[in-house]
């Protein structure tokens, strides 16, 4: 399958980095090189570090961006501190993190991300070298753990019923394909509860994907590390695609630009917290109407930008 992915908020996010020709930049989720390629165009004698946990995507990125200005790293972007230390890089001028799953991952049935691919193996791993997959989760997690994952990560109202039906189904035979899981979910949700144009399995598949890839684990720590790695005037740009991750980014950025983060009921400040910088955009940037029409998967995207002072 040809690697195809439309980079969301491409120009907006790269513009947000305010790129200096001799600067050092990090694309934390390089994927097929969409954002990275645009960053590279604006670098003259600087450096670009491309990180991705999906080895297949990183391989495509290497083929597309053949330049001695680029360093490729197969790793989770949450290991940013260790990655930069290994590269003997202390500070950088800009960091971009596009937290969404790529179109290639969704559209490639072998990766098992899509509720539309009935015969696809239930997988959902961004990093295929890891052991935990969606198949293991639905076949080994107990009912309460399944319920909490689907409720908390999918914000699914019928999480309890879905978890119960998964347990009942797997007692008869292993749940191995996306289609099997979709059928179970479909039977668990009343017809009248499904919004027009929505798919009954969307929220549960999101929840499983987040659990498989530990998408929220360590995100706050990453944001703190990233902000500390910026040079003065450097920028951190983050694109989110669902409310759970956006909430974390929003709250972290709010702390970054606030001097005191003590509880409001305290009469004096005891935290000694100092603002690190400013918000470039008070409200998140969203895709234009034309981009949303051309790429429906961009609908929920939000771009937040922090600048170090």
């Amino acid at each position: 399958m040809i690697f195809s992915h439309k980079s969301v908020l491409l120009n907006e996010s790269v513009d947000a980095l305010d790129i200096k020709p001799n600067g050092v930049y990090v694309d934390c989720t390089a994927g097929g090189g969409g954002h990275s390629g645009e960053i590279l165009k604006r670098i003259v004698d600087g450096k670009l570090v491309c990180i991705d946990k999906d080895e297949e995507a990183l391989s495509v990125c290497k083929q597309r961006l053949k330049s001695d200005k680029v360093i490729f790293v197969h790793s989770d972007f949450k290991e940013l501190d260790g990655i930069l230390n290994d590269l003997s890089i202390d500070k950088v001028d800009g960091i971009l993190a596009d937290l969404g799953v790529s179109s290639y991952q969704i559209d490639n049935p072998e990766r098992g991300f899509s509720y539309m691919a009935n015969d696809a193996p239930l997988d959902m791993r961004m990093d295929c070298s890891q052991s935990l997959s969606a198949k293991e989760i639905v076949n080994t997690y107990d009912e309460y753990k399944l319920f909490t994952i689907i409720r908390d990560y999918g914000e699914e109202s019928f999480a309890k019923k879905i978890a119960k039906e998964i347990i009942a189904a797997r007692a008869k035979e292993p749940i191995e394909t996306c289609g099997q899981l979709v059928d179970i979910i479909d039977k668990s949700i009343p017809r009248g509860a499904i919004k027009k144009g929505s798919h009954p399995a969307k929220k549960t598949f999101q929840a499983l994907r987040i659990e498989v890839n530990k998408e929220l684990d360590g995100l706050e720590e990453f944001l703190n590390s990233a902000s500390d790695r910026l040079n003065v005037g450097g920028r951190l740009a983050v694109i989110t695609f669902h409310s759970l991750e956006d909430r974390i980014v929003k709250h972290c950025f709010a702390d970054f630009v606030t001097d005191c983060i003590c509880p409001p009921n305290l009469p004096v400040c005891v935290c000694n917290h100092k603002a690190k910088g400013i918000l470039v955009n008070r409200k998140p940037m969203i895709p234009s109407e034309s981009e949303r029409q051309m790429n429906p998967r961009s609908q929920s995207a939000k771009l937040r930008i922090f600048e170090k002072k």
Side-chain angles (χ1 to χ4, degrees):
M1 180 178 177
I2 297 174
F3 194 104
S4 177
H5 175 68
K6 294 180 180 178
S7 298
V8 174
L9 290 163
L10 176 59
N11 291 321
E12 293 89 340
S13 58
V14 178
D15 287 346
L17 296 177
D18 192 24
I19 292 173
K20 303 175 181 66
N22 63 342
V24 179
Y25 297 88
V26 182
D27 186 345
C28 289
T29 47
H35 290 106
S36 293
E38 192 60 34
I39 294 171
L40 186 59
K41 289 178 185 177
R42 307 186 190 192
I43 293 175
V44 178
D45 52 1
K47 284 289 181 184
L48 170 62
V49 180
C50 291
I51 304 169
D52 207 290
K53 66 193 298 185
D54 187 331
E55 203 162 10
E56 192 173 358
L58 196 63
S59 176
V60 172
C61 190
K62 288 178 181 178
Q63 293 172 22
R64 292 178 176 175
L65 307 182
K66 294 180 179 179
S67 170
D68 57 6
K69 301 172 190 173
V70 185
I71 302 169
F72 299 96
V73 181
H74 175 226
S75 183
D76 191 320
F77 66 85
K78 293 168 190 171
E79 303 297 326
L80 180 67
D81 269 336
I83 293 168
L84 293 181
N85 287 340
D86 289 344
L87 296 173
S88 298
I89 296 174
D90 181 29
K91 300 286 186 179
V92 300
D93 298 291
I95 300 171
L96 173 64
D98 175 356
L99 302 182
V101 62
S102 76
S103 296
Y104 174 78
Q105 289 167 334
I106 294 172
D107 294 336
N108 185 351
E110 294 178 6
R111 303 299 294 270
F113 280 93
S114 176
Y115 42 77
M116 303 300 288
N118 287 339
D119 297 327
L122 198 53
D123 195 323
M124 302 192 195
R125 292 174 296 169
M126 291 182 183
D127 182 354
C128 294
S129 67
Q130 74 176 48
S131 58
L132 184 66
S133 67
K135 176 183 173 181
E136 181 177 343
I137 290 171
V138 299
N139 285 288
T140 64
Y141 280 21
D142 63 36
E143 184 174 338
Y144 181 74
K145 196 169 182 180
L146 285 170
F147 157 64
T148 55
I149 288 168
I150 298 169
R151 178 196 63 189
D152 296 345
Y153 292 167
E155 299 179 294
E156 172 59 75
S157 303
F158 298 94
K160 192 170 185 178
K161 176 66 172 173
I162 293 169
K164 184 176 181 180
E165 292 298 329
I166 287 174
I167 297 296
R170 80 186 195 194
K172 299 175 183 177
E173 63 175 342
I175 303 168
E176 298 184 333
T177 68
C178 293
Q180 284 177 279
L181 182 57
V182 168
D183 287 343
I184 294 166
I185 297 167
D186 196 45
K187 295 171 184 174
S188 306
I189 302 177
R191 293 299 89 194
I194 302 172
K195 292 182 179 179
K196 185 178 180 181
S198 184
H199 193 285
K202 181 178 181 179
K203 294 180 178 180
T204 300
F205 269 62
Q206 173 183 293
L208 290 172
R209 192 198 82 215
I210 291 173
E211 173 66 10
V212 168
N213 299 290
K214 306 299 181 187
E215 293 178 32
L216 302 181
D217 294 3
L219 180 55
E220 183 175 343
E221 291 80 359
F222 158 74
L223 293 169
N224 277 286
S225 295
S227 64
D228 290 340
R229 286 287 188 166
L230 291 172
N231 283 315
V232 172
R235 290 184 174 184
L236 170 60
V238 184
I239 303 172
T240 63
F241 286 85
H242 57 76
S243 61
L244 298 174
E245 60 192 12
D246 185 61
R247 197 174 301 138
I248 293 172
V249 177
K250 179 181 178 180
H251 288 167
C252 280
F253 278 21
D255 284 350
F256 294 168
V257 301
T258 304
D259 277 333
C260 174
I261 56 173
C262 289
N265 59 330
L266 288 183
V268 294
C269 175
V270 296
C271 69
N272 297 315
H273 184 272
K274 297 298 180 183
K276 298 179 180 182
I278 62 170
L279 296 179
V280 175
N281 52 337
R282 283 287 168 182
K283 292 184 178 181
M285 297 177 68
I286 61 174
S288 65
E289 180 62 30
S290 60
E291 179 173 4
R292 292 198 297 272
Q293 288 181 358
M294 290 176 61
N295 182 12
R297 287 174 180 163
S298 72
Q299 292 280 353
S300 60
K302 292 180 179 180
L303 169 64
R304 297 184 185 274
I305 311 156
F306 165 78
E307 182 176 315
K308 187 75 169 283
K309 291 297 186 185

